[in-house]
Amino acid sequence: MSPEWSDRPSSSAAGTGGEGEPEKRRAILRAAVEVFAEKGYQGCRIADVAKQAGVAYGLVYHYFRNKEELLESVFDQQWSIFITALRAIGERGGSAPEQLEEICRFAIDVFRNAPAAIRVLLLEVAHTPNTFRAGSTRETFEEAVEIVAGIVRRGKERGEVRVEVDPVVAAASLLGALELNLTGMLMGILGGTSEEEIERVKRGVIDLLFSGMTAR
Amino acid sequence: MSPEWSDRPSSSAAGTGGEGEPEKRRAILRAAVEVFAEKGYQGCRIADVAKQAGVAYGLVYHYFRNKEELLESVFDQQWSIFITALRAIGERGGSAPEQLEEICRFAIDVFRNAPAAIRVLLLEVAHTPNTFRAGSTRETFEEAVEIVAGIVRRGKERGEVRVEVDPVVAAASLLGALELNLTGMLMGILGGTSEEEIERVKRGVIDLLFSGMTAR
Amino acid sequence: MSPEWSDRPSSSAAGTGGEGEPEKRRAILRAAVEVFAEKGYQGCRIADVAKQAGVAYGLVYHYFRNKEELLESVFDQQWSIFITALRAIGERGGSAPEQLEEICRFAIDVFRNAPAAIRVLLLEVAHTPNTFRAGSTRETFEEAVEIVAGIVRRGKERGEVRVEVDPVVAAASLLGALELNLTGMLMGILGGTSEEEIERVKRGVIDLLFSGMTAR
Amino acid sequence: MSPEWSDRPSSSAAGTGGEGEPEKRRAILRAAVEVFAEKGYQGCRIADVAKQAGVAYGLVYHYFRNKEELLESVFDQQWSIFITALRAIGERGGSAPEQLEEICRFAIDVFRNAPAAIRVLLLEVAHTPNTFRAGSTRETFEEAVEIVAGIVRRGKERGEVRVEVDPVVAAASLLGALELNLTGMLMGILGGTSEEEIERVKRGVIDLLFSGMTAR
DNA sequence: GATGAATGAGGCTTCATTCAT
DNA sequence: CATGAATGAAGCCTCATTCAT
C-alpha cells in the first residue's frame, strides 16, 4: 500500500521518494524505527541504531543533531505516513463505514508489513519526555484523532452513523481498539500473526465497532 | 470505589491487606507509582522515587533488590488491584452489558482518583525490558483480557451479546478504547478532566461498544 | 596445641581465656576471621561478619568502633597467638634445627585446624590500607621475622647453623616457603589436604631448608 | 633484562608482541599495574587507574568490559611475562643450580625495576574474587610452580639435586622464599632497597636453598 | 545489650556527544 | 562523508555507619 512501510531495504538506485537523500541517512532512519519500536525512547541507544544500520557510530551525528532530533524524525515520519494515508482515505469519498473500514484495513496491513512502525505510532505516544511530546507528537496524535472524528462526523450528517455517537470518542475508541488488538497480537496473546488470524481480528474489530455488542 | 487507588496515604488502620508492611516501604511504592507513571520505566530514576517518597536513597534498596524489582512490584500491585476488581465485577452477577458498563465505570473512576495508576497499567504494558515483560506482565495483561472476554462469552451464551462477536477481540477493544480515551484526556486532547467531561466520555465509550456506530 | 585456633565454638560456660568477654563479641571475632580470610580486607563486609556470627547487624558496632578496628583486632589476635607460640618455641630451648622444625610443625598444625587463621596471617600482610599496615601489622610481621631470625642467630653462635646463613633472610625464607606451600595446598595445587599429604609437605620444607638442594 | 618490565613506556618500535595495540590502551594497562599493586584488587578504583593513565574515565570501558576484565588482563599479562621468562630459563640449558639461580636473579631484577609488577604477581594470587581466581590465576600459578619443579626434577635425574628433595615442594619453597623476602624489602623490614642490599638478599636466598642451614 | 531500619557518600558502569583523522 | 577513539556527566547499587527502639 505504501512502499515506505516495507521492512525490505529499497534498492539504492530506485528513487523511492526522498530523492537526493543519502543512502546511509535512510539506513539510519530505518534502523531507528526498529530500535525505537523495540526499546522505546529511553531504551533506544545511538549505538544500537548505528549497529543496526551498519554504519559507524559518529555518522548518526553527521545526519542528526542529537538523539532527540533523530527519534523525533522517526516519529514524525511514521506519523506523517500514517496521517497522509488517513487523510487520503478521508478524502477519497465513500460512506463513513467504508472509510473507517478502510482505516482498519490500512492499520492492520501496515502492521502485517512493518510491526515496528506500528509500535512507534501507537505505543510511544505518551512515553517520550516532555519536550519531545510537547513538540509534534501531541499535535500529530490530535490530528489523527481529528481526521477519524471528521469521518464519523460526516457520517452522522449523512445519516450513516447514529446521532448519539460522539465523533471524538468514537475516533479514539477505534484507534484504541486497534492498538490493543495489535499489541495483543504482538505480545502473542491474541492468537498468532498468521494471515487468517489477522483477518479474523480485523473483521472482529470492524464488526464490533459498527454493530456493537448488543443482541437485537 | 477502592481506597487503595487514592493518592492520599491511607491511615494505617485501614485493612488494606498489606497490614504489617512498613510505613516507608509503602511510601516508596506510592512514590514509585507516581514517578513510574510520569517518566516510564526507563526514565524513572531511583533518586526521584526516593525524593518523592521523602526517604533516603539507600532505603529503596533496603526494601527492593533493585530498580527492576521495585518497578515490577509497582506494576504487579497495580495490575493486581485492577484484576481483583475486574474479577469481582465478573463474579458479582448481572447481565454482560451491566458488567462491562461496570468495568468502564471502574476504570474511569480510578482514572479520576489516581491517574498515575492508570498510566502504569495501560501505558507501560509493552515498554519494559524483556525480563520484566517476560515475567508477570504478559500473564497479567492476558488475564485481564481473559476476564473481560469471559464476561462477553457468558453474555453470548445468555443471548445478551450478538453471536458474531469474538469475545477476545471485544475484550481487547473495550480495554483499548478505554486506554486511548483516557490517554487522550491525560494529554488534554479529549476535552478536559472535569466531572461532566469524564461522564460524557464514559457514556460515549459504553454506547459505542454496545450499540455500534451504524444507524438503523 | 592452642585451643583458640580451633574452629569449633567453645562452650559458653568454659572460661576459654578471655574471661568476662561476652559470648557474642567472641562470635563476631570468630566470624570475622573466617570472612576476613575468605574475602580479604576490602572484600570483607560487616554484613557478612554479622550473618556468619549469627548476630544483628548493629551489634558489631556495639563491640567495635568500626570496620578497621574490628579487622585490626582480628589481625592482632591472630598474630599475637602466632607470635606467642613462636616466642614460646624460641624460649623453650633445644637446638636451632629442633626449634625451627617445631615452628614448621606448629604452622602446619594450625593450618590443619584453622586454615582461615593462616590466611589472615600470611596473605593479608601487605594488602591492607596504609593506616592499617602502618599500625600494628608491620611491627608484628617484623617481630615474627625477628623471632625466627633470633633462633637462627643463636644457632649460628652454637655452630648448628652454617656461618654463611643470613638469619633474617633465612627467617623470611622459612616463613615464605611455609606460606606458599600452604597457599598451594589451600588452592588445591600441591596435592590435597590429607594427613599424609600435609606430613609429606612438612617434611619436605624442613628437609629442604636444613639440608639444601645440592647433592653431595 | 626484559624491557616490558620497565616502568618507562617502551618506544613503540620495540617488538614486544602487542604491536598494533593502541597507545592509550597500554597506558591504561600500565597504570592498572601500578594501582593494582598499590591497592590490591578490591581497593583499586577505576578512577585511580584513569587518572594515573592520564585518560578519561570512560576510556577504560572502551578498552575493557569492566573492572574485573581489566585487572584480569593485568594479572594475566604480568604472569605471562613472568612465566615466559621462567620457561626460557628452563629451556636455556645449564645445570639445575644454575637455572634456579637464574630464576632468583630474574625475580629480584624485576623487583628492582618494577616492584609494582612483583606485587601483582606474588601478592594477589589468593585475593581476588572467585570467578577471577577460578579463571586463569590458578592455572598460571600452578604452571609457574610446575616449571620450577621441572627444573628441580631434571636436576635430580642428573644428580645435581639430592634425591630426597620433593620437586614441587622445593619449587613452592623457592618462590615463597623469594616472595617473602621481596615483601620484606618492600615493607622496609629487610633492610632497604639499595643495590648492595638486594644483592645480599639474592645471595642469601640462593645459598640457603642450595646449601641448607645445617652446619657440616 | 541487641536489633534492624535509615542514611548517604562513594564506586562502577553506561551512553550521549564531541573530535581528530 | 565516514570512522571510532575519547570524554565526562549521570544513574544504579553497595555498604560503612548511625540511631531510635
Side-chain angles (χ1 to χ4, degrees):
Chain A
M1 180 161 281
S2 68
E4 303 84 351
W5 291 76
S6 157
D7 275 347
R8 281 162 289 147
S10 54
S11 74
S12 66
T16 323
E19 296 314 319
E21 198 183 24
E23 172 69 24
K24 299 222 171 166
R25 187 180 199 277
R26 260 186 320 228
I28 291 169
L29 272 173
R30 225 180 305 125
V33 173
E34 307 283 336
V35 181
F36 190 10
E38 172 75 17
K39 312 263 186 94
Y41 180 86
Q42 307 264 8
C44 169
R45 289 166 297 170
I46 296 294
D48 293 341
V49 173
K51 190 177 296 175
Q52 172 93 1
V55 303
Y57 210 80
L59 196 58
V60 176
Y61 283 87
H62 189 75
Y63 287 117
F64 301 92
R65 189 193 316 282
N66 53 29
K67 181 180 175 179
E68 182 164 336
E69 189 183 294
L70 168 63
L71 295 191
E72 196 157 2
S73 293
V74 167
F75 210 96
D76 287 352
Q77 185 199 50
Q78 299 298 107
W79 269 106
S80 131
I81 294 172
F82 188 66
I83 286 200
T84 301
L86 284 192
R87 224 190 312 256
I89 292 171
E91 291 165 356
R92 183 183 305 160
S95 69
E98 284 166 0
Q99 289 180 337
L100 295 175
E101 189 173 338
E102 193 65 28
I103 287 174
C104 293
R105 195 169 294 139
F106 170 68
I108 292 183
D109 276 354
V110 166
F111 164 69
R112 187 155 38 203
N113 295 324
I118 279 290
R119 296 193 59 161
V120 170
L121 290 184
L122 297 178
L123 302 179
E124 278 295 332
V125 167
H127 279 282
T128 42
N130 281 325
T131 49
F132 197 44
R133 208 182 329 160
S136 47
T137 303
R138 226 198 76 122
E139 286 86 28
T140 321
F141 176 55
E142 201 163 357
E143 189 177 359
V145 171
E146 196 42 53
I147 290 174
V148 178
I151 294 175
V152 175
R153 210 172 281 122
R154 284 194 296 282
K156 284 174 69 174
E157 291 164 3
R158 293 195 227 112
E160 299 155 0
V161 172
R162 287 191 300 118
V163 292
E164 295 87 354
V165 171
D166 178 318
V168 175
V169 169
S173 298
L174 173 66
L175 295 173
L178 284 172
E179 172 189 336
L180 214 62
N181 276 284
L182 294 176
T183 299
M185 295 176 90
L186 279 171
M187 291 178 73
I189 291 173
L190 275 84
T193 52
S194 69
E195 291 291 308
E196 306 88 52
E197 280 296 309
I198 292 177
E199 186 61 26
R200 198 177 57 77
V201 168
K202 176 165 65 178
R203 286 186 200 287
V205 172
I206 293 172
D207 174 66
L208 177 69
L209 289 168
F210 288 162
S211 305
M213 292 193 208
T214 313
R216 257 169 296 262
Chain B
M1 182 161 277
S2 70
E4 305 85 350
W5 291 80
S6 157
D7 276 346
R8 282 159 289 146
S10 56
S11 70
S12 66
T16 316
E19 206 49 45
E21 200 182 24
E23 171 73 30
K24 301 236 171 158
R25 187 179 198 278
R26 257 182 320 212
I28 291 169
L29 272 173
R30 227 180 304 124
V33 172
E34 308 282 337
V35 181
F36 188 12
E38 170 76 17
K39 311 266 186 94
Y41 180 87
Q42 307 266 7
C44 169
R45 285 167 300 168
I46 297 295
D48 294 341
V49 173
K51 193 173 297 175
Q52 172 92 2
V55 302
Y57 198 106
L59 196 60
V60 176
Y61 288 87
H62 187 74
Y63 288 116
F64 302 91
R65 191 190 313 281
N66 52 29
K67 180 179 174 179
E68 180 163 338
E69 190 182 293
L70 168 63
L71 295 191
E72 193 158 5
S73 293
V74 167
F75 210 96
D76 287 352
Q77 186 199 47
Q78 298 298 107
W79 268 106
S80 129
I81 294 173
F82 188 67
I83 285 201
T84 301
L86 284 192
R87 227 191 309 257
I89 292 171
E91 290 165 357
R92 183 184 303 159
S95 69
E98 285 166 1
Q99 289 180 338
L100 295 176
E101 190 174 336
E102 194 65 27
I103 286 174
C104 294
R105 193 170 294 139
F106 169 68
I108 293 182
D109 274 356
V110 165
F111 163 70
R112 190 158 33 207
N113 294 326
I118 279 290
R119 296 193 57 161
V120 170
L121 289 185
L122 297 179
L123 302 179
E124 279 293 335
V125 167
H127 281 280
T128 42
N130 279 325
T131 48
F132 197 39
R133 206 182 329 161
S136 46
T137 302
R138 226 199 77 121
E139 287 85 31
T140 322
F141 176 55
E142 201 164 358
E143 189 176 359
V145 171
E146 196 40 54
I147 291 174
V148 179
I151 294 177
V152 175
R153 209 172 282 123
R154 286 194 294 282
K156 284 173 68 174
E157 290 163 6
R158 294 198 226 107
E160 299 155 2
V161 172
R162 287 191 301 119
V163 289
E164 296 86 356
V165 171
D166 178 318
V168 175
V169 170
S173 299
L174 173 66
L175 295 173
L178 283 172
E179 172 190 334
L180 215 62
N181 276 285
L182 294 176
T183 300
M185 295 176 88
L186 278 170
M187 291 178 69
I189 291 173
L190 277 83
T193 51
S194 70
E195 289 293 309
E196 307 89 51
E197 281 296 310
I198 290 175
E199 186 61 25
R200 198 177 57 78
V201 168
K202 175 165 66 179
R203 287 188 198 286
V205 172
I206 292 172
D207 173 65
L208 177 68
L209 288 169
F210 287 163
S211 305
M213 293 193 206
T214 313
R216 259 167 295 261
Chain C
M1 183 163 279
S2 70
E4 302 85 349
W5 291 77
S6 157
D7 276 347
R8 280 160 291 146
S10 55
S11 73
S12 66
T16 321
E19 297 313 320
E21 197 183 26
E23 172 70 25
K24 300 223 173 170
R25 188 180 198 276
R26 259 187 319 225
I28 291 169
L29 271 173
R30 226 181 304 124
V33 173
E34 308 282 337
V35 181
F36 189 12
E38 171 76 15
K39 312 259 186 99
Y41 181 87
Q42 308 264 7
C44 169
R45 288 167 298 171
I46 296 294
D48 293 340
V49 173
K51 190 176 296 174
Q52 172 92 3
V55 303
Y57 209 81
L59 196 59
V60 176
Y61 283 86
H62 189 75
Y63 287 116
F64 301 90
R65 189 193 316 280
N66 52 29
K67 181 180 175 178
E68 183 164 335
E69 189 183 295
L70 168 63
L71 295 192
E72 197 158 3
S73 295
V74 167
F75 211 95
D76 287 351
Q77 185 198 50
Q78 299 297 106
W79 269 107
S80 127
I81 295 173
F82 188 66
I83 285 200
T84 302
L86 284 192
R87 226 189 311 257
I89 291 170
E91 292 164 357
R92 185 183 303 159
S95 68
E98 283 166 0
Q99 288 180 337
L100 295 175
E101 188 173 339
E102 193 65 28
I103 286 173
C104 292
R105 194 169 293 139
F106 169 68
I108 292 183
D109 275 355
V110 165
F111 163 69
R112 188 157 36 204
N113 294 326
I118 278 289
R119 296 192 60 160
V120 169
L121 288 185
L122 297 179
L123 302 179
E124 279 294 333
V125 166
H127 281 281
T128 41
N130 281 323
T131 48
F132 196 44
R133 206 181 330 160
S136 47
T137 303
R138 224 197 79 122
E139 287 84 29
T140 322
F141 176 55
E142 201 164 356
E143 188 176 0
V145 172
E146 196 41 54
I147 291 174
V148 179
I151 294 177
V152 175
R153 210 172 282 124
R154 286 194 295 280
K156 282 173 71 174
E157 291 164 4
R158 290 196 229 110
E160 298 154 0
V161 172
R162 286 192 299 120
V163 291
E164 296 86 355
V165 172
D166 177 318
V168 175
V169 169
S173 298
L174 173 66
L175 294 173
L178 283 172
E179 172 190 336
L180 214 62
N181 276 285
L182 294 176
T183 300
M185 295 176 90
L186 278 171
M187 291 177 72
I189 290 174
L190 276 83
T193 52
S194 70
E195 289 292 308
E196 306 89 51
E197 281 294 310
I198 292 176
E199 185 61 26
R200 197 176 58 78
V201 169
K202 176 166 64 178
R203 287 187 199 286
V205 173
I206 292 172
D207 173 64
L208 178 69
L209 289 169
F210 287 164
S211 305
M213 292 193 207
T214 313
R216 260 167 294 261
Chain D
M1 181 162 279
S2 69
E4 306 84 351
W5 291 78
S6 156
D7 276 348
R8 283 159 287 146
S10 57
S11 71
S12 65
T16 317
E19 207 49 46
E21 201 183 23
E23 171 74 28
K24 301 235 171 156
R25 187 180 199 276
R26 258 183 318 212
I28 291 169
L29 272 173
R30 225 180 306 125
V33 172
E34 308 283 335
V35 182
F36 189 10
E38 171 75 14
K39 311 267 185 91
Y41 181 87
Q42 308 264 8
C44 169
R45 286 167 299 167
I46 297 294
D48 294 341
V49 173
K51 192 174 296 174
Q52 171 92 5
V55 302
Y57 203 106
L59 195 60
V60 176
Y61 287 88
H62 186 74
Y63 288 115
F64 301 91
R65 192 190 311 283
N66 52 30
K67 180 179 174 178
E68 180 164 337
E69 190 183 292
L70 168 64
L71 295 192
E72 192 158 6
S73 294
V74 167
F75 209 96
D76 286 352
Q77 186 199 47
Q78 300 298 107
W79 268 105
S80 129
I81 294 172
F82 187 67
I83 285 202
T84 301
L86 283 193
R87 225 191 310 258
I89 292 170
E91 291 164 358
R92 182 183 305 162
S95 69
E98 282 165 1
Q99 289 180 337
L100 296 175
E101 188 173 338
E102 193 65 27
I103 287 174
C104 294
R105 193 169 294 141
F106 170 69
I108 293 183
D109 274 356
V110 166
F111 163 69
R112 187 156 36 202
N113 294 325
I118 279 291
R119 296 193 59 160
V120 169
L121 289 185
L122 297 178
L123 302 179
E124 279 293 334
V125 167
H127 281 280
T128 44
N130 279 325
T131 49
F132 197 40
R133 208 182 328 162
S136 46
T137 303
R138 224 198 79 121
E139 288 84 29
T140 321
F141 175 56
E142 201 164 357
E143 190 177 357
V145 171
E146 195 42 54
I147 290 174
V148 179
I151 293 176
V152 176
R153 209 172 283 123
R154 284 194 296 280
K156 284 173 69 175
E157 291 164 5
R158 292 197 229 109
E160 299 155 0
V161 172
R162 286 192 301 120
V163 291
E164 295 87 355
V165 172
D166 179 318
V168 175
V169 169
S173 299
L174 172 65
L175 295 173
L178 283 172
E179 172 189 335
L180 214 62
N181 276 285
L182 294 177
T183 300
M185 294 176 89
L186 279 169
M187 292 177 71
I189 292 174
L190 275 83
T193 51
S194 69
E195 289 292 308
E196 306 87 52
E197 280 296 310
I198 291 176
E199 187 60 26
R200 197 177 57 78
V201 168
K202 176 166 66 178
R203 286 187 200 286
V205 171
I206 292 172
D207 174 64
L208 177 67
L209 288 169
F210 287 161
S211 304
M213 293 194 208
T214 312
R216 258 170 293 264

PDB file of all heavy atoms in Angstrom, chain D residues 11-27:
ATOM      1  N   SER D  11      59.372   2.458  23.754  1.00  0.00           N
ATOM      2  CA  SER D  11      59.112   3.082  22.448  1.00  0.00           C
ATOM      3  C   SER D  11      58.308   2.125  21.595  1.00  0.00           C
ATOM      4  O   SER D  11      58.464   0.916  21.690  1.00  0.00           O
ATOM      5  CB  SER D  11      60.437   3.405  21.762  1.00  0.00           C
ATOM      6  OG  SER D  11      61.059   2.216  21.358  1.00  0.00           O
ATOM      7  N   SER D  12      57.445   2.650  20.765  1.00  0.00           N
ATOM      8  CA  SER D  12      56.514   1.815  20.013  1.00  0.00           C
ATOM      9  C   SER D  12      57.243   0.849  19.100  1.00  0.00           C
ATOM     10  O   SER D  12      56.696  -0.157  18.675  1.00  0.00           O
ATOM     11  CB  SER D  12      55.592   2.694  19.176  1.00  0.00           C
ATOM     12  OG  SER D  12      56.358   3.378  18.204  1.00  0.00           O
ATOM     13  N   ALA D  13      58.505   1.139  18.757  1.00  0.00           N
ATOM     14  CA  ALA D  13      59.226   0.286  17.828  1.00  0.00           C
ATOM     15  C   ALA D  13      59.617  -1.054  18.451  1.00  0.00           C
ATOM     16  O   ALA D  13      59.781  -2.046  17.748  1.00  0.00           O
ATOM     17  CB  ALA D  13      60.489   0.994  17.334  1.00  0.00           C
ATOM     18  N   ALA D  14      59.733  -1.100  19.767  1.00  0.00           N
ATOM     19  CA  ALA D  14      60.171  -2.331  20.421  1.00  0.00           C
ATOM     20  C   ALA D  14      59.210  -3.469  20.110  1.00  0.00           C
ATOM     21  O   ALA D  14      58.018  -3.367  20.362  1.00  0.00           O
ATOM     22  CB  ALA D  14      60.268  -2.124  21.932  1.00  0.00           C
ATOM     23  N   GLY D  15      59.708  -4.539  19.574  1.00  0.00           N
ATOM     24  CA  GLY D  15      58.846  -5.662  19.182  1.00  0.00           C
ATOM     25  C   GLY D  15      58.394  -6.452  20.388  1.00  0.00           C
ATOM     26  O   GLY D  15      58.874  -7.531  20.665  1.00  0.00           O
ATOM     27  N   THR D  16      57.443  -5.906  21.097  1.00  0.00           N
ATOM     28  CA  THR D  16      57.029  -6.563  22.328  1.00  0.00           C
ATOM     29  C   THR D  16      55.904  -7.550  22.093  1.00  0.00           C
ATOM     30  O   THR D  16      55.442  -8.200  23.015  1.00  0.00           O
ATOM     31  CB  THR D  16      56.593  -5.517  23.372  1.00  0.00           C
ATOM     32  OG1 THR D  16      57.508  -4.450  23.348  1.00  0.00           O
ATOM     33  CG2 THR D  16      56.505  -6.109  24.734  1.00  0.00           C
ATOM     34  N   GLY D  17      55.392  -7.596  20.893  1.00  0.00           N
ATOM     35  CA  GLY D  17      54.277  -8.500  20.638  1.00  0.00           C
ATOM     36  C   GLY D  17      52.998  -7.723  20.406  1.00  0.00           C
ATOM     37  O   GLY D  17      52.389  -7.802  19.364  1.00  0.00           O
ATOM     38  N   GLY D  18      52.579  -6.960  21.408  1.00  0.00           N
ATOM     39  CA  GLY D  18      51.336  -6.199  21.262  1.00  0.00           C
ATOM     40  C   GLY D  18      51.548  -4.996  20.355  1.00  0.00           C
ATOM     41  O   GLY D  18      51.411  -3.856  20.773  1.00  0.00           O
ATOM     42  N   GLU D  19      51.845  -5.268  19.098  1.00  0.00           N
ATOM     43  CA  GLU D  19      52.290  -4.204  18.197  1.00  0.00           C
ATOM     44  C   GLU D  19      51.224  -3.144  17.938  1.00  0.00           C
ATOM     45  O   GLU D  19      51.345  -1.998  18.363  1.00  0.00           O
ATOM     46  CB  GLU D  19      52.721  -4.838  16.866  1.00  0.00           C
ATOM     47  CG  GLU D  19      53.746  -4.006  16.141  1.00  0.00           C
ATOM     48  CD  GLU D  19      54.873  -3.597  17.080  1.00  0.00           C
ATOM     49  OE1 GLU D  19      55.400  -4.440  17.837  1.00  0.00           O
ATOM     50  OE2 GLU D  19      55.212  -2.428  17.073  1.00  0.00           O
ATOM     51  N   GLY D  20      50.165  -3.536  17.262  1.00  0.00           N
ATOM     52  CA  GLY D  20      49.168  -2.558  16.849  1.00  0.00           C
ATOM     53  C   GLY D  20      48.334  -2.035  18.005  1.00  0.00           C
ATOM     54  O   GLY D  20      47.431  -1.238  17.802  1.00  0.00           O
ATOM     55  N   GLU D  21      48.621  -2.467  19.204  1.00  0.00           N
ATOM     56  CA  GLU D  21      47.828  -2.073  20.364  1.00  0.00           C
ATOM     57  C   GLU D  21      47.846  -0.566  20.560  1.00  0.00           C
ATOM     58  O   GLU D  21      48.904   0.048  20.545  1.00  0.00           O
ATOM     59  CB  GLU D  21      48.403  -2.769  21.593  1.00  0.00           C
ATOM     60  CG  GLU D  21      47.438  -2.872  22.731  1.00  0.00           C
ATOM     61  CD  GLU D  21      48.132  -3.520  23.919  1.00  0.00           C
ATOM     62  OE1 GLU D  21      49.378  -3.456  23.975  1.00  0.00           O
ATOM     63  OE2 GLU D  21      47.437  -4.078  24.778  1.00  0.00           O
ATOM     64  N   PRO D  22      46.667   0.022  20.745  1.00  0.00           N
ATOM     65  CA  PRO D  22      46.607   1.477  20.880  1.00  0.00           C
ATOM     66  C   PRO D  22      47.462   1.975  22.032  1.00  0.00           C
ATOM     67  O   PRO D  22      47.561   1.328  23.081  1.00  0.00           O
ATOM     68  CB  PRO D  22      45.122   1.745  21.160  1.00  0.00           C
ATOM     69  CG  PRO D  22      44.411   0.553  20.665  1.00  0.00           C
ATOM     70  CD  PRO D  22      45.342  -0.596  20.807  1.00  0.00           C
ATOM     71  N   GLU D  23      48.012   3.129  21.814  1.00  0.00           N
ATOM     72  CA  GLU D  23      48.830   3.800  22.815  1.00  0.00           C
ATOM     73  C   GLU D  23      48.135   3.866  24.176  1.00  0.00           C
ATOM     74  O   GLU D  23      48.671   3.469  25.199  1.00  0.00           O
ATOM     75  CB  GLU D  23      49.117   5.216  22.302  1.00  0.00           C
ATOM     76  CG  GLU D  23      49.782   6.143  23.304  1.00  0.00           C
ATOM     77  CD  GLU D  23      51.239   5.759  23.476  1.00  0.00           C
ATOM     78  OE1 GLU D  23      51.817   5.210  22.516  1.00  0.00           O
ATOM     79  OE2 GLU D  23      51.769   5.991  24.557  1.00  0.00           O
ATOM     80  N   LYS D  24      46.901   4.350  24.147  1.00  0.00           N
ATOM     81  CA  LYS D  24      46.211   4.611  25.411  1.00  0.00           C
ATOM     82  C   LYS D  24      45.819   3.330  26.124  1.00  0.00           C
ATOM     83  O   LYS D  24      45.726   3.289  27.352  1.00  0.00           O
ATOM     84  CB  LYS D  24      44.958   5.453  25.146  1.00  0.00           C
ATOM     85  CG  LYS D  24      45.280   6.780  24.488  1.00  0.00           C
ATOM     86  CD  LYS D  24      44.732   7.952  25.258  1.00  0.00           C
ATOM     87  CE  LYS D  24      45.263   9.261  24.703  1.00  0.00           C
ATOM     88  NZ  LYS D  24      44.394  10.404  24.985  1.00  0.00           N
ATOM     89  N   ARG D  25      45.549   2.312  25.331  1.00  0.00           N
ATOM     90  CA  ARG D  25      45.217   1.051  25.973  1.00  0.00           C
ATOM     91  C   ARG D  25      46.400   0.595  26.835  1.00  0.00           C
ATOM     92  O   ARG D  25      46.237   0.138  27.958  1.00  0.00           O
ATOM     93  CB  ARG D  25      44.897  -0.016  24.931  1.00  0.00           C
ATOM     94  CG  ARG D  25      44.380  -1.305  25.518  1.00  0.00           C
ATOM     95  CD  ARG D  25      44.080  -2.333  24.432  1.00  0.00           C
ATOM     96  NE  ARG D  25      43.200  -3.382  24.901  1.00  0.00           N
ATOM     97  CZ  ARG D  25      43.591  -4.437  25.555  1.00  0.00           C
ATOM     98  NH1 ARG D  25      44.857  -4.585  25.849  1.00  0.00           N
ATOM     99  NH2 ARG D  25      42.718  -5.348  25.962  1.00  0.00           N
ATOM    100  N   ARG D  26      47.595   0.735  26.258  1.00  0.00           N
ATOM    101  CA  ARG D  26      48.762   0.340  27.027  1.00  0.00           C
ATOM    102  C   ARG D  26      48.948   1.217  28.239  1.00  0.00           C
ATOM    103  O   ARG D  26      49.336   0.765  29.310  1.00  0.00           O
ATOM    104  CB  ARG D  26      50.003   0.377  26.149  1.00  0.00           C
ATOM    105  CG  ARG D  26      50.406  -1.022  25.704  1.00  0.00           C
ATOM    106  CD  ARG D  26      51.673  -0.969  24.894  1.00  0.00           C
ATOM    107  NE  ARG D  26      51.615   0.170  23.973  1.00  0.00           N
ATOM    108  CZ  ARG D  26      52.183   0.190  22.781  1.00  0.00           C
ATOM    109  NH1 ARG D  26      52.817  -0.872  22.338  1.00  0.00           N
ATOM    110  NH2 ARG D  26      52.109   1.266  22.021  1.00  0.00           N
ATOM    111  N   ALA D  27      48.654   2.501  28.063  1.00  0.00           N
ATOM    112  CA  ALA D  27      48.785   3.407  29.208  1.00  0.00           C
ATOM    113  C   ALA D  27      47.866   2.965  30.339  1.00  0.00           C
ATOM    114  O   ALA D  27      48.237   2.993  31.508  1.00  0.00           O
ATOM    115  CB  ALA D  27      48.449   4.829  28.776  1.00  0.00           C
TER     116      ALA D  27
END
